[in-house]
Amino acid sequence: MTDLKIHTANVTVTNGDLQIAAYLAQPAIEGKFPAVIVIQEIFGVNAHIREVTERIAKEGYIAIAPAIYQRQAPGFETGYTPEDIKIGRHYKDQTKAAELLSDIQATINYLKNLPSVKSSSFGCIGFCFGGHVAYLAATLAEIKATASFYGAGIATNTPGGGSPTITRTADIKGTIYAFFGTQDASIPPEQVEQIETELQKYNIPHRIFRYNADHGFFCDHRASYNATAAADAWIQVKQLFREKL
């Protein structure tokens, strides 16, 4: 199933008193479909993230991208200039792991109430800071398949402070694929090796992909886009979701 016609909508996910803006894409046909949560880069739910969400929906999934900066900067989205990076990092530094997990769980709960969503197993894909958050989200009980793209800091820190996110590896519930660029200065090779070692230590089903590419290689809006790496990574993501959801 591929390249389906889809419907898109801006929706609201409720988490207690917080109203989280989200971008929803789903096949424009009757039926029940697996669901995937798309987690933004530091640049908000911008054009690239909306395009990824649509691309996943065209493969036969319900896809939703919640605004993980809803608490810090409602409606925020930006591009990729040095100034954009600066403000995106500023908001990233205000996030907290517990709040991010709570907001993603609220997104799962939202999906479970959609009549077109099949089963209680969900996928997750995240890029840049969202790749780090996706590693966190993989610890949620209902996340059965995670694709984490170039998530910096997994081995060294966690949003809001505390033990690094890598220390939660044993809590990952499903399968995780992690994608890295060997030219990515923000994620040294030894950190990728640390992540791989921890996944092996706790017998977490996983695959680690290393490409001769820079940070952001999957995003065709960025100068660091690498078409060859992006194409192979997409094949792997489709296989992961097809097999596990």
Side-chain angles (χ1 to χ4, degrees):
M1 192 180 298
T2 185
D3 209 22
L4 296 173
K5 290 185 177 179
I6 61 170
H7 292 314
T8 64
N10 294 307
V11 299
T12 302
V13 172
T14 300
N15 185 9
D17 294 333
L18 183 67
Q19 301 295 304
I20 305 166
Y23 186 69
L24 178 70
Q26 54 189 326
I29 56 175
E30 292 292 321
K32 287 184 174 290
F33 306 94
V36 174
I37 297 165
V38 182
I39 307 179
Q40 67 186 57
E41 301 173 299
I42 61 171
F43 309 104
V45 183
N46 63 3
H48 170 56
I49 295 302
R50 293 193 296 271
E51 288 163 8
V52 171
T53 306
E54 293 167 7
R55 193 174 176 186
I56 292 169
K58 289 176 181 177
E59 294 289 336
Y61 301 89
I62 311 294
I64 188 169
I68 63 169
Y69 283 176
Q70 188 71 44
R71 297 166 184 271
Q72 293 77 27
F76 174 76
E77 67 170 277
T78 192
Y80 303 95
T81 69
E83 186 59 33
D84 294 333
I85 293 171
K86 184 178 178 181
I87 191 168
R89 286 176 174 166
H90 171 71
Y91 292 135
K92 179 199 75 167
D93 291 343
Q94 297 176 22
T95 63
K96 298 176 181 177
E99 292 177 345
L100 291 163
L101 286 168
S102 175
D103 293 346
I104 293 167
Q105 184 62 55
T107 305
I108 292 171
N109 296 342
Y110 172 90
L111 289 168
K112 287 163 72 173
N113 286 320
L114 294 181
S116 53
V117 168
K118 180 179 77 173
S119 84
S120 59
S121 296
F122 297 87
C124 179
I125 184 170
F127 304 88
C128 179
F129 179 52
H132 186 146
V133 177
Y135 201 95
L136 277 170
T139 66
L140 295 172
E142 292 151 311
I143 299 290
K144 302 304 182 188
T146 300
S148 169
F149 278 77
Y150 33 83
I154 291 169
T156 58
N157 62 72
T158 202
S163 298
T165 293
I166 195 172
T167 63
R168 305 187 189 212
T169 300
D171 297 327
I172 291 175
K173 302 297 190 295
T175 299
I176 185 165
Y177 282 12
F179 302 83
F180 299 99
T182 58
Q183 308 306 313
D184 186 346
S186 66
I187 313 173
E190 56 268 24
Q191 292 185 17
V192 178
E193 290 164 12
Q194 279 182 267
I195 292 167
E196 189 167 32
T197 297
E198 287 297 290
L199 290 166
Q200 291 169 346
K201 176 181 176 181
Y202 293 105
N203 296 312
I204 306 301
H206 71 279
R207 291 184 70 186
I208 302 289
F209 298 89
R210 297 170 174 88
Y211 299 102
N212 182 22
D214 204 343
H215 189 80
F217 67 78
F218 193 80
C219 177
D220 57 4
H221 294 247
R222 302 177 73 165
S224 56
Y225 174 63
N226 184 305
T228 301
D232 185 78
W234 182 241
I235 290 169
Q236 308 303 335
V237 167
K238 288 193 293 183
Q239 179 190 35
L240 169 67
F241 290 159
R242 185 169 59 245
E243 292 180 355
K244 302 301 178 182
L245 300 181

PDB file of all heavy atoms in Angstrom, residues 200-233:
ATOM      1  N   GLN A 200      22.173  -3.482  22.928  1.00  0.00           N
ATOM      2  CA  GLN A 200      22.581  -4.892  22.951  1.00  0.00           C
ATOM      3  C   GLN A 200      22.531  -5.452  24.371  1.00  0.00           C
ATOM      4  O   GLN A 200      22.074  -6.576  24.592  1.00  0.00           O
ATOM      5  CB  GLN A 200      23.993  -5.026  22.381  1.00  0.00           C
ATOM      6  CG  GLN A 200      24.098  -4.748  20.893  1.00  0.00           C
ATOM      7  CD  GLN A 200      25.529  -4.637  20.403  1.00  0.00           C
ATOM      8  OE1 GLN A 200      26.458  -4.508  21.202  1.00  0.00           O
ATOM      9  NE2 GLN A 200      25.712  -4.678  19.094  1.00  0.00           N
ATOM     10  N   LYS A 201      22.995  -4.663  25.330  1.00  0.00           N
ATOM     11  CA  LYS A 201      23.058  -5.096  26.730  1.00  0.00           C
ATOM     12  C   LYS A 201      21.687  -5.521  27.244  1.00  0.00           C
ATOM     13  O   LYS A 201      21.562  -6.521  27.975  1.00  0.00           O
ATOM     14  CB  LYS A 201      23.616  -3.953  27.580  1.00  0.00           C
ATOM     15  CG  LYS A 201      23.655  -4.220  29.073  1.00  0.00           C
ATOM     16  CD  LYS A 201      24.217  -2.997  29.798  1.00  0.00           C
ATOM     17  CE  LYS A 201      24.191  -3.156  31.305  1.00  0.00           C
ATOM     18  NZ  LYS A 201      24.718  -1.938  31.988  1.00  0.00           N
ATOM     19  N   TYR A 202      20.656  -4.756  26.864  1.00  0.00           N
ATOM     20  CA  TYR A 202      19.306  -5.034  27.375  1.00  0.00           C
ATOM     21  C   TYR A 202      18.444  -5.812  26.381  1.00  0.00           C
ATOM     22  O   TYR A 202      17.232  -5.927  26.573  1.00  0.00           O
ATOM     23  CB  TYR A 202      18.625  -3.726  27.774  1.00  0.00           C
ATOM     24  CG  TYR A 202      19.295  -3.085  28.980  1.00  0.00           C
ATOM     25  CD1 TYR A 202      20.110  -1.959  28.826  1.00  0.00           C
ATOM     26  CD2 TYR A 202      19.149  -3.631  30.246  1.00  0.00           C
ATOM     27  CE1 TYR A 202      20.741  -1.386  29.934  1.00  0.00           C
ATOM     28  CE2 TYR A 202      19.771  -3.061  31.351  1.00  0.00           C
ATOM     29  CZ  TYR A 202      20.563  -1.939  31.183  1.00  0.00           C
ATOM     30  OH  TYR A 202      21.203  -1.383  32.270  1.00  0.00           O
ATOM     31  N   ASN A 203      19.086  -6.338  25.336  1.00  0.00           N
ATOM     32  CA  ASN A 203      18.384  -7.180  24.359  1.00  0.00           C
ATOM     33  C   ASN A 203      17.175  -6.480  23.748  1.00  0.00           C
ATOM     34  O   ASN A 203      16.118  -7.097  23.546  1.00  0.00           O
ATOM     35  CB  ASN A 203      17.963  -8.516  24.995  1.00  0.00           C
ATOM     36  CG  ASN A 203      19.147  -9.357  25.423  1.00  0.00           C
ATOM     37  OD1 ASN A 203      20.092  -9.538  24.659  1.00  0.00           O
ATOM     38  ND2 ASN A 203      19.111  -9.850  26.654  1.00  0.00           N
ATOM     39  N   ILE A 204      17.342  -5.182  23.466  1.00  0.00           N
ATOM     40  CA  ILE A 204      16.279  -4.426  22.804  1.00  0.00           C
ATOM     41  C   ILE A 204      16.366  -4.701  21.308  1.00  0.00           C
ATOM     42  O   ILE A 204      17.432  -4.515  20.711  1.00  0.00           O
ATOM     43  CB  ILE A 204      16.439  -2.909  23.063  1.00  0.00           C
ATOM     44  CG1 ILE A 204      16.540  -2.596  24.569  1.00  0.00           C
ATOM     45  CG2 ILE A 204      15.293  -2.141  22.407  1.00  0.00           C
ATOM     46  CD1 ILE A 204      15.357  -3.034  25.384  1.00  0.00           C
ATOM     47  N   PRO A 205      15.290  -5.143  20.675  1.00  0.00           N
ATOM     48  CA  PRO A 205      15.335  -5.336  19.220  1.00  0.00           C
ATOM     49  C   PRO A 205      15.680  -4.005  18.540  1.00  0.00           C
ATOM     50  O   PRO A 205      15.013  -3.001  18.766  1.00  0.00           O
ATOM     51  CB  PRO A 205      13.913  -5.789  18.875  1.00  0.00           C
ATOM     52  CG  PRO A 205      13.357  -6.342  20.158  1.00  0.00           C
ATOM     53  CD  PRO A 205      13.969  -5.513  21.243  1.00  0.00           C
ATOM     54  N   HIS A 206      16.730  -4.001  17.733  1.00  0.00           N
ATOM     55  CA  HIS A 206      17.192  -2.729  17.180  1.00  0.00           C
ATOM     56  C   HIS A 206      18.040  -2.937  15.934  1.00  0.00           C
ATOM     57  O   HIS A 206      18.543  -4.037  15.680  1.00  0.00           O
ATOM     58  CB  HIS A 206      18.044  -1.980  18.216  1.00  0.00           C
ATOM     59  CG  HIS A 206      19.376  -2.607  18.455  1.00  0.00           C
ATOM     60  ND1 HIS A 206      19.541  -3.695  19.293  1.00  0.00           N
ATOM     61  CD2 HIS A 206      20.621  -2.333  17.950  1.00  0.00           C
ATOM     62  CE1 HIS A 206      20.810  -4.048  19.305  1.00  0.00           C
ATOM     63  NE2 HIS A 206      21.498  -3.243  18.492  1.00  0.00           N
ATOM     64  N   ARG A 207      18.196  -1.849  15.203  1.00  0.00           N
ATOM     65  CA  ARG A 207      19.201  -1.755  14.150  1.00  0.00           C
ATOM     66  C   ARG A 207      19.776  -0.348  14.191  1.00  0.00           C
ATOM     67  O   ARG A 207      19.033   0.624  14.410  1.00  0.00           O
ATOM     68  CB  ARG A 207      18.618  -2.034  12.760  1.00  0.00           C
ATOM     69  CG  ARG A 207      18.194  -3.489  12.552  1.00  0.00           C
ATOM     70  CD  ARG A 207      17.704  -3.733  11.128  1.00  0.00           C
ATOM     71  NE  ARG A 207      18.820  -3.659  10.168  1.00  0.00           N
ATOM     72  CZ  ARG A 207      18.659  -3.727   8.840  1.00  0.00           C
ATOM     73  NH1 ARG A 207      17.436  -3.847   8.340  1.00  0.00           N
ATOM     74  NH2 ARG A 207      19.691  -3.649   8.033  1.00  0.00           N
ATOM     75  N   ILE A 208      21.089  -0.225  14.013  1.00  0.00           N
ATOM     76  CA  ILE A 208      21.759   1.069  13.947  1.00  0.00           C
ATOM     77  C   ILE A 208      22.250   1.273  12.520  1.00  0.00           C
ATOM     78  O   ILE A 208      22.911   0.399  11.957  1.00  0.00           O
ATOM     79  CB  ILE A 208      22.963   1.135  14.912  1.00  0.00           C
ATOM     80  CG1 ILE A 208      22.525   0.859  16.356  1.00  0.00           C
ATOM     81  CG2 ILE A 208      23.672   2.492  14.807  1.00  0.00           C
ATOM     82  CD1 ILE A 208      21.715   1.953  16.990  1.00  0.00           C
ATOM     83  N   PHE A 209      21.902   2.417  11.953  1.00  0.00           N
ATOM     84  CA  PHE A 209      22.311   2.729  10.586  1.00  0.00           C
ATOM     85  C   PHE A 209      23.261   3.919  10.616  1.00  0.00           C
ATOM     86  O   PHE A 209      22.947   4.962  11.208  1.00  0.00           O
ATOM     87  CB  PHE A 209      21.095   3.049   9.715  1.00  0.00           C
ATOM     88  CG  PHE A 209      20.136   1.901   9.590  1.00  0.00           C
ATOM     89  CD1 PHE A 209      19.111   1.734  10.518  1.00  0.00           C
ATOM     90  CD2 PHE A 209      20.257   0.976   8.567  1.00  0.00           C
ATOM     91  CE1 PHE A 209      18.230   0.669  10.427  1.00  0.00           C
ATOM     92  CE2 PHE A 209      19.382  -0.095   8.462  1.00  0.00           C
ATOM     93  CZ  PHE A 209      18.363  -0.247   9.397  1.00  0.00           C
ATOM     94  N   ARG A 210      24.410   3.748   9.978  1.00  0.00           N
ATOM     95  CA  ARG A 210      25.411   4.814   9.890  1.00  0.00           C
ATOM     96  C   ARG A 210      25.610   5.166   8.422  1.00  0.00           C
ATOM     97  O   ARG A 210      25.955   4.297   7.618  1.00  0.00           O
ATOM     98  CB  ARG A 210      26.740   4.365  10.511  1.00  0.00           C
ATOM     99  CG  ARG A 210      26.682   4.053  12.009  1.00  0.00           C
ATOM    100  CD  ARG A 210      27.986   3.388  12.442  1.00  0.00           C
ATOM    101  NE  ARG A 210      28.085   3.187  13.894  1.00  0.00           N
ATOM    102  CZ  ARG A 210      27.644   2.122  14.534  1.00  0.00           C
ATOM    103  NH1 ARG A 210      27.030   1.157  13.861  1.00  0.00           N
ATOM    104  NH2 ARG A 210      27.796   2.009  15.845  1.00  0.00           N
ATOM    105  N   TYR A 211      25.412   6.425   8.102  1.00  0.00           N
ATOM    106  CA  TYR A 211      25.566   6.890   6.722  1.00  0.00           C
ATOM    107  C   TYR A 211      26.700   7.905   6.624  1.00  0.00           C
ATOM    108  O   TYR A 211      26.959   8.649   7.578  1.00  0.00           O
ATOM    109  CB  TYR A 211      24.269   7.541   6.232  1.00  0.00           C
ATOM    110  CG  TYR A 211      23.079   6.617   6.215  1.00  0.00           C
ATOM    111  CD1 TYR A 211      22.118   6.672   7.216  1.00  0.00           C
ATOM    112  CD2 TYR A 211      22.913   5.687   5.195  1.00  0.00           C
ATOM    113  CE1 TYR A 211      21.019   5.821   7.205  1.00  0.00           C
ATOM    114  CE2 TYR A 211      21.820   4.833   5.176  1.00  0.00           C
ATOM    115  CZ  TYR A 211      20.877   4.897   6.181  1.00  0.00           C
ATOM    116  OH  TYR A 211      19.800   4.052   6.167  1.00  0.00           O
ATOM    117  N   ASN A 212      27.342   7.948   5.480  1.00  0.00           N
ATOM    118  CA  ASN A 212      28.356   8.965   5.215  1.00  0.00           C
ATOM    119  C   ASN A 212      27.629  10.274   4.903  1.00  0.00           C
ATOM    120  O   ASN A 212      27.499  10.685   3.746  1.00  0.00           O
ATOM    121  CB  ASN A 212      29.255   8.547   4.054  1.00  0.00           C
ATOM    122  CG  ASN A 212      30.353   9.550   3.780  1.00  0.00           C
ATOM    123  OD1 ASN A 212      30.725  10.345   4.648  1.00  0.00           O
ATOM    124  ND2 ASN A 212      30.869   9.547   2.567  1.00  0.00           N
ATOM    125  N   ALA A 213      27.123  10.896   5.948  1.00  0.00           N
ATOM    126  CA  ALA A 213      26.253  12.062   5.799  1.00  0.00           C
ATOM    127  C   ALA A 213      26.356  12.929   7.043  1.00  0.00           C
ATOM    128  O   ALA A 213      26.903  12.520   8.066  1.00  0.00           O
ATOM    129  CB  ALA A 213      24.810  11.618   5.582  1.00  0.00           C
ATOM    130  N   ASP A 214      25.796  14.132   6.944  1.00  0.00           N
ATOM    131  CA  ASP A 214      25.842  15.095   8.038  1.00  0.00           C
ATOM    132  C   ASP A 214      24.517  15.085   8.806  1.00  0.00           C
ATOM    133  O   ASP A 214      23.556  14.403   8.432  1.00  0.00           O
ATOM    134  CB  ASP A 214      26.122  16.496   7.468  1.00  0.00           C
ATOM    135  CG  ASP A 214      26.746  17.442   8.490  1.00  0.00           C
ATOM    136  OD1 ASP A 214      26.678  17.146   9.701  1.00  0.00           O
ATOM    137  OD2 ASP A 214      27.297  18.469   8.065  1.00  0.00           O
ATOM    138  N   HIS A 215      24.466  15.865   9.863  1.00  0.00           N
ATOM    139  CA  HIS A 215      23.232  16.033  10.625  1.00  0.00           C
ATOM    140  C   HIS A 215      22.131  16.562   9.698  1.00  0.00           C
ATOM    141  O   HIS A 215      22.392  17.396   8.845  1.00  0.00           O
ATOM    142  CB  HIS A 215      23.475  17.025  11.767  1.00  0.00           C
ATOM    143  CG  HIS A 215      22.346  17.116  12.735  1.00  0.00           C
ATOM    144  ND1 HIS A 215      22.159  16.179  13.739  1.00  0.00           N
ATOM    145  CD2 HIS A 215      21.338  18.015  12.868  1.00  0.00           C
ATOM    146  CE1 HIS A 215      21.086  16.504  14.442  1.00  0.00           C
ATOM    147  NE2 HIS A 215      20.575  17.608  13.930  1.00  0.00           N
ATOM    148  N   GLY A 216      20.919  16.078   9.879  1.00  0.00           N
ATOM    149  CA  GLY A 216      19.795  16.569   9.071  1.00  0.00           C
ATOM    150  C   GLY A 216      19.733  15.990   7.676  1.00  0.00           C
ATOM    151  O   GLY A 216      19.036  16.535   6.813  1.00  0.00           O
ATOM    152  N   PHE A 217      20.391  14.849   7.448  1.00  0.00           N
ATOM    153  CA  PHE A 217      20.502  14.329   6.080  1.00  0.00           C
ATOM    154  C   PHE A 217      19.171  13.914   5.463  1.00  0.00           C
ATOM    155  O   PHE A 217      19.053  13.806   4.246  1.00  0.00           O
ATOM    156  CB  PHE A 217      21.490  13.155   6.018  1.00  0.00           C
ATOM    157  CG  PHE A 217      21.045  11.914   6.751  1.00  0.00           C
ATOM    158  CD1 PHE A 217      20.115  11.045   6.212  1.00  0.00           C
ATOM    159  CD2 PHE A 217      21.586  11.601   8.000  1.00  0.00           C
ATOM    160  CE1 PHE A 217      19.714   9.898   6.885  1.00  0.00           C
ATOM    161  CE2 PHE A 217      21.198  10.453   8.684  1.00  0.00           C
ATOM    162  CZ  PHE A 217      20.254   9.600   8.122  1.00  0.00           C
ATOM    163  N   PHE A 218      18.148  13.708   6.278  1.00  0.00           N
ATOM    164  CA  PHE A 218      16.855  13.269   5.738  1.00  0.00           C
ATOM    165  C   PHE A 218      16.001  14.441   5.249  1.00  0.00           C
ATOM    166  O   PHE A 218      15.037  14.241   4.509  1.00  0.00           O
ATOM    167  CB  PHE A 218      16.084  12.485   6.812  1.00  0.00           C
ATOM    168  CG  PHE A 218      14.889  11.733   6.279  1.00  0.00           C
ATOM    169  CD1 PHE A 218      15.044  10.511   5.635  1.00  0.00           C
ATOM    170  CD2 PHE A 218      13.605  12.243   6.415  1.00  0.00           C
ATOM    171  CE1 PHE A 218      13.950   9.824   5.137  1.00  0.00           C
ATOM    172  CE2 PHE A 218      12.494  11.552   5.923  1.00  0.00           C
ATOM    173  CZ  PHE A 218      12.670  10.335   5.282  1.00  0.00           C
ATOM    174  N   CYS A 219      16.361  15.657   5.644  1.00  0.00           N
ATOM    175  CA  CYS A 219      15.517  16.829   5.372  1.00  0.00           C
ATOM    176  C   CYS A 219      15.924  17.516   4.078  1.00  0.00           C
ATOM    177  O   CYS A 219      16.999  18.128   4.006  1.00  0.00           O
ATOM    178  CB  CYS A 219      15.604  17.815   6.537  1.00  0.00           C
ATOM    179  SG  CYS A 219      14.661  19.325   6.258  1.00  0.00           S
ATOM    180  N   ASP A 220      15.062  17.446   3.067  1.00  0.00           N
ATOM    181  CA  ASP A 220      15.410  18.026   1.773  1.00  0.00           C
ATOM    182  C   ASP A 220      15.220  19.546   1.728  1.00  0.00           C
ATOM    183  O   ASP A 220      15.364  20.160   0.674  1.00  0.00           O
ATOM    184  CB  ASP A 220      14.625  17.356   0.642  1.00  0.00           C
ATOM    185  CG  ASP A 220      13.115  17.438   0.816  1.00  0.00           C
ATOM    186  OD1 ASP A 220      12.657  18.076   1.785  1.00  0.00           O
ATOM    187  OD2 ASP A 220      12.399  16.863  -0.024  1.00  0.00           O
ATOM    188  N   HIS A 221      14.936  20.147   2.887  1.00  0.00           N
ATOM    189  CA  HIS A 221      14.903  21.608   2.993  1.00  0.00           C
ATOM    190  C   HIS A 221      16.240  22.153   3.500  1.00  0.00           C
ATOM    191  O   HIS A 221      16.417  23.365   3.572  1.00  0.00           O
ATOM    192  CB  HIS A 221      13.801  22.058   3.956  1.00  0.00           C
ATOM    193  CG  HIS A 221      12.417  21.758   3.475  1.00  0.00           C
ATOM    194  ND1 HIS A 221      11.524  22.745   3.127  1.00  0.00           N
ATOM    195  CD2 HIS A 221      11.758  20.587   3.287  1.00  0.00           C
ATOM    196  CE1 HIS A 221      10.372  22.190   2.750  1.00  0.00           C
ATOM    197  NE2 HIS A 221      10.505  20.881   2.843  1.00  0.00           N
ATOM    198  N   ARG A 222      17.125  21.262   3.873  1.00  0.00           N
ATOM    199  CA  ARG A 222      18.381  21.675   4.493  1.00  0.00           C
ATOM    200  C   ARG A 222      19.566  21.424   3.556  1.00  0.00           C
ATOM    201  O   ARG A 222      19.552  20.490   2.747  1.00  0.00           O
ATOM    202  CB  ARG A 222      18.609  20.915   5.814  1.00  0.00           C
ATOM    203  CG  ARG A 222      17.506  21.116   6.815  1.00  0.00           C
ATOM    204  CD  ARG A 222      17.691  20.313   8.089  1.00  0.00           C
ATOM    205  NE  ARG A 222      18.741  20.854   8.938  1.00  0.00           N
ATOM    206  CZ  ARG A 222      18.898  20.522  10.219  1.00  0.00           C
ATOM    207  NH1 ARG A 222      18.081  19.643  10.774  1.00  0.00           N
ATOM    208  NH2 ARG A 222      19.855  21.058  10.945  1.00  0.00           N
ATOM    209  N   ALA A 223      20.605  22.244   3.706  1.00  0.00           N
ATOM    210  CA  ALA A 223      21.807  22.097   2.879  1.00  0.00           C
ATOM    211  C   ALA A 223      22.485  20.757   3.113  1.00  0.00           C
ATOM    212  O   ALA A 223      23.190  20.239   2.244  1.00  0.00           O
ATOM    213  CB  ALA A 223      22.771  23.239   3.168  1.00  0.00           C
ATOM    214  N   SER A 224      22.264  20.169   4.281  1.00  0.00           N
ATOM    215  CA  SER A 224      22.905  18.895   4.626  1.00  0.00           C
ATOM    216  C   SER A 224      22.142  17.678   4.084  1.00  0.00           C
ATOM    217  O   SER A 224      22.542  16.542   4.344  1.00  0.00           O
ATOM    218  CB  SER A 224      23.026  18.776   6.146  1.00  0.00           C
ATOM    219  OG  SER A 224      21.758  18.921   6.769  1.00  0.00           O
ATOM    220  N   TYR A 225      21.077  17.912   3.334  1.00  0.00           N
ATOM    221  CA  TYR A 225      20.297  16.802   2.762  1.00  0.00           C
ATOM    222  C   TYR A 225      21.200  15.887   1.946  1.00  0.00           C
ATOM    223  O   TYR A 225      22.020  16.336   1.146  1.00  0.00           O
ATOM    224  CB  TYR A 225      19.183  17.361   1.883  1.00  0.00           C
ATOM    225  CG  TYR A 225      18.391  16.323   1.125  1.00  0.00           C
ATOM    226  CD1 TYR A 225      17.636  15.367   1.792  1.00  0.00           C
ATOM    227  CD2 TYR A 225      18.389  16.305  -0.274  1.00  0.00           C
ATOM    228  CE1 TYR A 225      16.897  14.416   1.102  1.00  0.00           C
ATOM    229  CE2 TYR A 225      17.652  15.372  -0.983  1.00  0.00           C
ATOM    230  CZ  TYR A 225      16.902  14.424  -0.288  1.00  0.00           C
ATOM    231  OH  TYR A 225      16.177  13.488  -0.975  1.00  0.00           O
ATOM    232  N   ASN A 226      21.042  14.590   2.166  1.00  0.00           N
ATOM    233  CA  ASN A 226      21.802  13.589   1.426  1.00  0.00           C
ATOM    234  C   ASN A 226      20.803  12.612   0.811  1.00  0.00           C
ATOM    235  O   ASN A 226      20.212  11.791   1.514  1.00  0.00           O
ATOM    236  CB  ASN A 226      22.783  12.867   2.359  1.00  0.00           C
ATOM    237  CG  ASN A 226      23.674  11.870   1.638  1.00  0.00           C
ATOM    238  OD1 ASN A 226      23.198  10.982   0.957  1.00  0.00           O
ATOM    239  ND2 ASN A 226      24.980  12.024   1.801  1.00  0.00           N
ATOM    240  N   ALA A 227      20.599  12.730  -0.479  1.00  0.00           N
ATOM    241  CA  ALA A 227      19.535  11.970  -1.139  1.00  0.00           C
ATOM    242  C   ALA A 227      19.738  10.467  -1.022  1.00  0.00           C
ATOM    243  O   ALA A 227      18.777   9.711  -0.825  1.00  0.00           O
ATOM    244  CB  ALA A 227      19.440  12.387  -2.606  1.00  0.00           C
ATOM    245  N   THR A 228      20.982  10.026  -1.129  1.00  0.00           N
ATOM    246  CA  THR A 228      21.256   8.588  -1.067  1.00  0.00           C
ATOM    247  C   THR A 228      20.953   8.030   0.321  1.00  0.00           C
ATOM    248  O   THR A 228      20.271   7.002   0.464  1.00  0.00           O
ATOM    249  CB  THR A 228      22.727   8.314  -1.427  1.00  0.00           C
ATOM    250  OG1 THR A 228      22.981   8.819  -2.748  1.00  0.00           O
ATOM    251  CG2 THR A 228      23.028   6.829  -1.389  1.00  0.00           C
ATOM    252  N   ALA A 229      21.436   8.720   1.351  1.00  0.00           N
ATOM    253  CA  ALA A 229      21.176   8.283   2.720  1.00  0.00           C
ATOM    254  C   ALA A 229      19.691   8.348   3.046  1.00  0.00           C
ATOM    255  O   ALA A 229      19.134   7.434   3.671  1.00  0.00           O
ATOM    256  CB  ALA A 229      21.975   9.139   3.702  1.00  0.00           C
ATOM    257  N   ALA A 230      19.046   9.426   2.620  1.00  0.00           N
ATOM    258  CA  ALA A 230      17.622   9.601   2.906  1.00  0.00           C
ATOM    259  C   ALA A 230      16.788   8.507   2.252  1.00  0.00           C
ATOM    260  O   ALA A 230      15.842   7.980   2.860  1.00  0.00           O
ATOM    261  CB  ALA A 230      17.157  10.976   2.430  1.00  0.00           C
ATOM    262  N   ALA A 231      17.142   8.152   1.033  1.00  0.00           N
ATOM    263  CA  ALA A 231      16.375   7.121   0.321  1.00  0.00           C
ATOM    264  C   ALA A 231      16.506   5.768   1.014  1.00  0.00           C
ATOM    265  O   ALA A 231      15.516   5.041   1.187  1.00  0.00           O
ATOM    266  CB  ALA A 231      16.853   7.025  -1.126  1.00  0.00           C
ATOM    267  N   ASP A 232      17.722   5.412   1.421  1.00  0.00           N
ATOM    268  CA  ASP A 232      17.898   4.133   2.103  1.00  0.00           C
ATOM    269  C   ASP A 232      17.191   4.133   3.459  1.00  0.00           C
ATOM    270  O   ASP A 232      16.536   3.148   3.833  1.00  0.00           O
ATOM    271  CB  ASP A 232      19.381   3.834   2.310  1.00  0.00           C
ATOM    272  CG  ASP A 232      19.584   2.449   2.917  1.00  0.00           C
ATOM    273  OD1 ASP A 232      19.485   1.459   2.175  1.00  0.00           O
ATOM    274  OD2 ASP A 232      19.806   2.364   4.150  1.00  0.00           O
ATOM    275  N   ALA A 233      17.313   5.248   4.191  1.00  0.00           N
ATOM    276  CA  ALA A 233      16.669   5.332   5.510  1.00  0.00           C
ATOM    277  C   ALA A 233      15.157   5.169   5.382  1.00  0.00           C
ATOM    278  O   ALA A 233      14.520   4.519   6.218  1.00  0.00           O
ATOM    279  CB  ALA A 233      17.019   6.656   6.179  1.00  0.00           C
TER     280      ALA A 233
END
